Every structure is written in structure tokens, then in C-alpha cells.
Amino acid sequence: MAEARYQLCRHIISNQFGEVVETVCSLMVKLGRIPLRSIVRESGLTPKKVFDVLVTLIQHGMITHAESIEGGNTVAYYSPNLHEILRRARIGIYLKVLHDRLDPDGFKVANLVLQNGVMTAKQIKRSMGITAAQKKKLAQLQKSILTMVRERILIAVQPKDLLTKSDRLISEEKDMKSKESLIITANKLKEIRRQAREKLDYEYDDSAIVGMASRVKRKATGDVGSSDLFQDDLYNPSKMHIAGDSSDVVEDDAFFRLNFDKLDVLLRNQQIIQYFARKINTGASAVMKHILRLTEEKVKSCRETSSNRITANQIVHSVPADIPLKDTMVMDFEETGNRETRHIEYVHAYIELLGGDPSGILAKRDERGSGEYQVDFQKAFETLRNKYVDTFIQEHFGSVATRITRVLRAKNKLEEKQVAQFAMLPVGVCRSHLLKLFNLGLVDLHEVAKSSDRFPARTLYFWYINYEKQLDSMLSIAYKQMANLYIRLGYEKSSRSRLLAKMEREDVKLDPSLLGPSEVKAIEEYNKITQILEASLIRIELVVLTLRDSLVSKYS
């Protein structure tokens, strides 16, 4: 898996940043934590080029760095952030989610921040060409950025973000040790490390939004509707009068970046919605969509195993009355009351239907009032994981292997004869399929020796699913497939390099008739092939999102 991941990182960086950045980044992925002088020596690039590449990678959050004192000198070590590098493969999916969720100004802001890595509010304004005289556009931009910060789509970049979690733990431990005046015993050291971990966990759970300040909202005399995000002179008391209400504003000098963790949550929620759309109907998916919307504010990343509790009344009020739930469900009781009352009845019916689903994704936690509900993201992960694994096995090994996998999932550890009995298959057929699945790491074998010599004839062999190993195998396969798709994309582009260069010429852009019939046909064929390859990349990346990023594990 390590080699497949390394190759995929190379192709992602090369596709998005070019060969020079790929040379440095792939070297760091291969060697791990490394100082600047070693990067220059191993890459063969000039120190200036390496420094520029490191600045670019730090700007986009793909590497972290930490300083260490060695021989009286300060040495900076750089480490690759593999998680961030691999997540850049789903940039296109992120943009689609942002396009559907944000207004046009918000989507432009997201595009700018994504291209530059991190930006301040002043830089965003300057890049969009908005001046202080354009008060309406400034007000709209203020609203868009404020909404993105409140929803944690944009988050402030802090100095601690440039360090790995291990470096931050070491730094916290060092600070706590320096405050101790007595000899640090083993128990005291254990307590210090526990407190350091708790402090990092507290910082993660802290609900405060960094990069926002609460100010008194002031309105310009003579222009009641004006407000501003960037210009400090508009807060000058000599020019403004206090309107009397408080308002949050984005700090001008705070650097912001896109919060990929939050975007992963939105993508994960979309997959849950699509699951219920396929399993039940569009009405159930519509109700589930609004249930997940109610929980989005509290869920910061896919590390959470469950959402906050919400009441049935909150769900009912969040589902718009114009959603045609009546057309997607046949009720077994006579409809009474007005349209609003009937809509409430349909929403309650769908809540009960979702709560009773065997997947257990929506769980009822309390009977008070109309009931309190909670979304179990761990159950959602298990459901989606099983669906993707079953689909993969069905496509590669057939329905018999899928049946065997489901038997092992339901019964846990079984001997070969028991697997054949539950799957209603001959032992020979069952054995051949089990070996195929075992060779790919999708099922595993547990040995229980009857005697100390572990002689095979006196040993029991139980087949079961090792979920951690299964995930590793599925991810390794997905990484190899994605790397192959990137190679094919590169081949298609290089084989038509002259034609694509001609397409970029200004005269051809102004007059497409300069292209011959064969060139037009070649361009159409190229667009069709790249569209198919990119769609395949998106489908595989959504599987990777579920297997790697949608749970609390070593991949998070």
C-alpha cells in the first residue's frame, strides 16, 4: 500500500503543480522528515528553487515544519502531510459542493483561496477588484465571507497548523516540564503527557471561531444601508454613528484557508442522502438531507462518531412544505386537516421510517415529547463500507463470493465447512472463492492450535473478516487504479501536445475555423476520453472518502 500511495501522491502533485514541485514533494514523501540541505542535495535543484517549492507547499498545507536545536544551531525539518496531499485529488468534487451551496461571490472567494492556499480578507478584496466606492459589492462580499467563516468552510490559519500533532505534543510536554521544580517521576511524566493530549483535544473541541471579531455595527450618516468588511476608516466615529446592535466581522489581517475537513463532512452527508434515496425513495432522502443540515453546525470533521441530538419538532420545522412528500408515500390512514397538518404527518412518518431502518444510521435516543434523534456516523460508515466492498467483490468475483462475504460478516468466525453450509455451496467451490478473497486481503484466517506443536492436522482454521486489513487492501487497490488513470490522462495529453498548444493560440481562440476537420474530430475525441477518465477518478475518490476519511481511525 505504501508504494501505491507514494505513486498516487506523485501523480496528484505533478498534475496540479508541475514537475519541479513534484520532484521535491515526492522526495519528501519517500524519505519522510528531512532538513532543507538534504532536500537540496537529494533533488539536485538550486536552494532558491527548493525554498520556493517549500513556500508553495506550506502555503497549501501539504507540508509541516518544526525547528530543532542541533550543535547550537537551529535546524528546520520539513515533513509531508500525506493526508492533505491525497485529499487534493477531490478538488473538483469540493468545487461542485461549494458551487451548489454558496452564492456566486462565495464561490469566487472559495476559488481564490483554493488557488492561493491562504489569503486575508484584504487580499480577497484586492484580487476581486472591489474598491471602497463599491459599497453594495463590499457589503455582499462581507456577507458571503462571514457566512463561509461561520459555517467553518473558511478557517483561520494559526502557527500551530504548521506543526505536526507529534511536534505539538512534544512542545506542550516541554513547556509543562519546564514549570516543574522537582524531579519528574514516571507517574508525573505520565500525567504531563495526559494533560498535553487533553489540551490538544480541548483545542479541537473548542467551538470558538478564530478569525472573527465582535464589533459594534455602525452605519454611515446619509447611507443607512452601507456596511464594510475591509475599510477601517468606515468605522471612524467622525464619519459614522452607532446603530446600536452588535455584529461579527471578519478580521482583516487573519489568513484563511478552505477547511477540507468540513467539506469532507458535506461529501459524507451527500453519500448518506444518496444511500437512502436508493434504498427507500426521494422523500426519505429529502427528510434525511434536512436532518443532516441541522447537525452540520456541530460536526467539525469526520472524526465525530455521532451528531448532536435533535428533536422531531426541529426536523418537522426544517423540512419545507413545498417538498412533495405526499407523492412519495402511501399512507395507511385517512388524511385529515389542512395542507400544513398533512405535511407534518408525512414528515413524522418518514422520521419513523428512517429511524426503523436496519442500518441504524438515524437512532432514536429519547422518548420525551415527539422524540430526540441522533445520526450515528459510525453506523453510516459501516453501511457505506459494506456496500462498496460488496460491489467490488460482485464485479470481480461474482455473486457467490459476495454471498460468502456477507455470511462471514453476519456470523463472524466460521470454519470452512460452516461457511459452505451457511452459503449453501459445495465445500470445493467455497474453498476456491475464499482463497481468492484471502489473496486480496478481503478475508482473513485465524488459527487455533489444539496442541503446542501447532501441527496442521490438530489446528482449527476459522475464516473471518479483518476489517482493518480489508480497508488497507481496498485502499491499495483504489490508489493503484487512480494512479493508472492519472498516467492515462498524462498520456492522452502528451500524445496531443501539439494540437492542444495550437488550441491555446489567441488566433485559434478568436477564429475556431482555423482548425481542420481532422483536428476538430481529434479534439472531440480527446474531450470525450478525458471526461470518462475524470469521471472514473471522481467515483473512485468518493469510495476513498468513505474508506479512509469517514471514521475515527489511523487514516483520519
Side-chain angles (χ1 to χ4, degrees):
M1 178 178 169
E3 179 62 24
R5 183 175 58 188
Y6 166 69
Q7 294 296 336
L8 180 57
C9 288
R10 283 188 56 212
H11 291 299
I12 291 172
I13 297 299
S14 177
N15 186 60
Q16 297 187 13
F17 293 92
E19 294 182 0
V20 176
V21 179
E22 184 266 326
T23 300
V24 175
C25 193
S26 61
L27 179 67
M28 296 177 66
V29 171
K30 188 175 182 179
L31 300 179
R33 195 180 182 96
I34 188 171
L36 177 62
R37 61 177 180 272
S38 299
I39 300 175
V40 173
R41 182 179 64 250
E42 296 292 336
S43 65
L45 301 173
T46 63
K48 185 180 184 308
K49 273 191 177 181
V50 172
F51 183 79
D52 292 341
V53 169
L54 291 176
V55 170
T56 301
L57 293 173
I58 291 173
Q59 186 93 347
H60 288 272
M62 288 185 287
I63 65 171
T64 56
H65 65 85
E67 294 181 347
S68 175
I69 305 298
E70 297 180 1
N73 298 322
T74 302
V75 180
Y77 284 87
Y78 300 90
S79 305
N81 189 337
L82 295 180
H83 195 204
E84 290 296 319
I85 295 172
L86 292 171
R87 283 204 292 194
R88 294 195 70 85
R90 63 180 77 128
I91 290 294
I93 314 175
Y94 289 154
L95 289 174
K96 177 64 171 62
V97 171
L98 293 170
H99 181 270
D100 296 340
R101 189 179 182 90
L102 303 175
D103 57 19
D105 281 343
F107 184 66
K108 289 178 182 177
V109 170
N111 254 317
L112 276 172
V113 176
L114 191 60
Q115 291 171 12
N116 293 277
V118 295
M119 294 185 77
T120 64
K122 288 181 179 179
Q123 291 171 338
I124 293 172
K125 176 205 69 170
R126 193 180 306 116
S127 298
M128 294 182 68
I130 298 178
T131 63
Q134 299 170 302
K135 297 186 183 296
K136 289 185 178 180
K137 289 186 177 181
L138 280 173
Q140 180 61 37
L141 186 61
Q142 172 189 12
K143 182 180 177 182
S144 299
I145 296 180
L146 201 57
T147 301
M148 294 173 72
V149 174
R150 281 175 175 164
E151 293 183 0
R152 297 184 188 273
I153 294 175
L154 285 180
I155 57 172
V157 179
Q158 304 177 70
K160 64 181 182 181
D161 296 332
L162 302 177
L163 300 174
T164 63
K165 187 174 182 179
S166 300
D167 290 322
R168 289 164 61 187
L169 275 172
I170 292 171
S171 178
E172 289 293 339
E173 288 179 20
K174 186 177 179 181
D175 291 342
M176 290 181 180
K177 288 177 184 177
S178 63
K179 296 176 183 178
E180 295 292 330
S181 57
L182 302 177
I183 297 175
I184 299 177
T185 61
N187 288 335
K188 185 62 178 177
L189 181 61
K190 186 177 179 180
E191 178 66 17
I192 287 174
R193 288 174 177 171
R194 185 189 64 80
Q195 291 177 1
R197 286 193 297 270
E198 285 182 353
K199 184 175 181 180
L200 291 183
D201 291 338
Y202 174 78
E203 290 175 358
Y204 171 80
D205 294 330
D206 187 12
S207 60
I209 299 176
V210 180
M212 285 177 55
S214 182
R215 295 184 181 179
V216 176
K217 186 176 180 181
R218 305 169 185 272
K219 296 182 179 179
T221 305
D223 188 1
V224 178
S226 66
S227 61
D228 191 80
L229 173 65
F230 309 105
Q231 301 298 322
D232 289 337
D233 59 350
L234 292 184
Y235 292 99
N236 191 330
S238 64
K239 299 182 180 181
M240 315 289 289
H241 68 271
I242 298 177
D245 59 334
S246 63
S247 175
D248 291 332
V249 294
V250 177
E251 295 177 0
D252 289 347
D253 298 324
F255 283 90
F256 292 93
R257 64 176 176 87
L258 278 182
N259 185 4
F260 288 168
D261 287 336
K262 189 67 175 182
L263 296 177
D264 283 344
V265 170
L266 302 181
L267 287 175
R268 191 262 314 274
N269 290 352
Q270 281 189 357
Q271 290 188 305
I272 296 173
I273 293 166
Q274 291 168 5
Y275 167 78
F276 282 110
R278 286 189 296 265
K279 185 172 183 180
I280 303 177
N281 58 25
T282 55
S285 66
V287 174
M288 194 67 200
K289 177 181 178 180
H290 288 86
I291 291 173
L292 292 169
R293 269 293 182 102
L294 290 172
T295 66
E296 279 178 7
E297 184 181 355
K298 301 292 184 181
V299 179
K300 290 195 257 185
S301 76
C302 293
R303 288 175 56 185
E304 280 87 347
T305 56
S306 60
S307 70
N308 57 303
R309 293 189 180 188
I310 52 176
T311 64
N313 287 333
Q314 287 178 298
I315 300 172
V316 168
H317 290 305
S318 68
V319 180
D322 56 355
I323 296 179
L325 297 179
K326 180 181 178 181
D327 301 336
T328 60
M329 177 181 283
V330 178
M331 304 289 282
D332 59 353
F333 56 84
E334 184 179 354
E335 295 183 357
T336 58
N338 54 27
R339 180 182 176 185
E340 183 179 352
T341 304
R342 293 197 299 270
H343 175 73
I344 293 173
E345 291 174 352
Y346 277 106
V347 175
H348 276 292
Y350 268 117
I351 294 173
E352 291 296 327
L353 183 62
L354 292 168
D357 187 78
S359 65
I361 295 176
L362 184 65
K364 193 171 187 178
R365 300 302 188 193
D366 204 314
E367 297 289 343
R368 288 181 298 178
S370 300
E372 289 186 354
Y373 293 85
Q374 193 174 37
V375 181
D376 192 330
F377 294 122
Q378 186 65 32
K379 294 284 187 183
F381 157 71
E382 293 171 0
T383 302
L384 295 173
R385 175 200 62 195
N386 295 340
K387 179 177 74 73
Y388 285 130
V389 171
D390 288 350
T391 302
F392 175 81
I393 294 174
Q394 175 74 31
E395 292 176 352
H396 288 77
F397 303 105
S399 58
V400 174
T402 307
R403 191 193 316 167
I404 291 172
T405 306
R406 289 172 177 167
V407 167
L408 291 175
R409 189 181 298 139
K411 302 296 183 180
N412 206 356
K413 294 180 179 178
L414 296 173
E415 288 185 281
E416 188 179 271
K417 291 181 180 179
Q418 293 175 312
V419 176
Q421 182 182 359
F422 280 114
M424 295 181 290
L425 294 169
V427 175
V429 174
C430 183
R431 182 185 298 120
S432 65
H433 282 87
L434 282 170
L435 288 174
K436 290 177 183 177
L437 296 173
F438 177 76
N439 289 334
L440 272 183
L442 300 178
V443 298
D444 210 349
L445 199 59
H446 181 68
E447 300 178 4
V448 179
K450 294 181 179 179
S451 58
S452 58
D453 59 358
R454 306 188 71 87
F455 191 70
R458 291 187 292 274
T459 301
L460 297 176
Y461 297 94
F462 293 95
W463 292 97
Y464 74 107
I465 296 178
N466 184 336
Y467 288 107
E468 187 169 323
K469 186 176 179 180
Q470 188 183 73
L471 282 178
D472 284 340
S473 300
M474 289 291 293
L475 283 174
S476 180
I477 293 168
Y479 289 161
K480 290 176 183 177
Q481 291 175 340
M482 292 180 69
N484 290 338
L485 288 170
Y486 275 114
I487 292 172
R488 180 61 187 273
L489 278 170
Y491 169 77
E492 294 293 337
K493 187 175 181 179
S494 62
S495 63
R496 297 175 175 83
S497 56
R498 291 185 179 181
L499 181 58
L500 294 175
K502 184 177 180 180
M503 287 287 296
E504 294 298 321
R505 282 167 33 189
E506 291 296 330
D507 56 339
V508 176
K509 288 180 180 180
L510 294 174
D511 186 10
S513 62
L514 295 175
L515 295 172
S518 60
E519 292 175 325
V520 173
K521 186 177 179 180
I523 288 295
E524 291 176 353
E525 182 182 359
Y526 171 75
N527 290 335
K528 182 179 179 180
I529 292 173
T530 53
Q531 186 177 3
I532 294 172
L533 294 174
E534 288 171 355
S536 299
L537 277 170
I538 290 173
R539 284 196 295 270
I540 297 173
E541 186 55 39
L542 289 175
V543 176
V544 172
L545 167 69
T546 299
L547 300 181
R548 190 187 67 212
D549 301 326
S550 294
L551 78 163
V552 181
S553 74
K554 62 181 181 180
Y555 302 112
S556 298

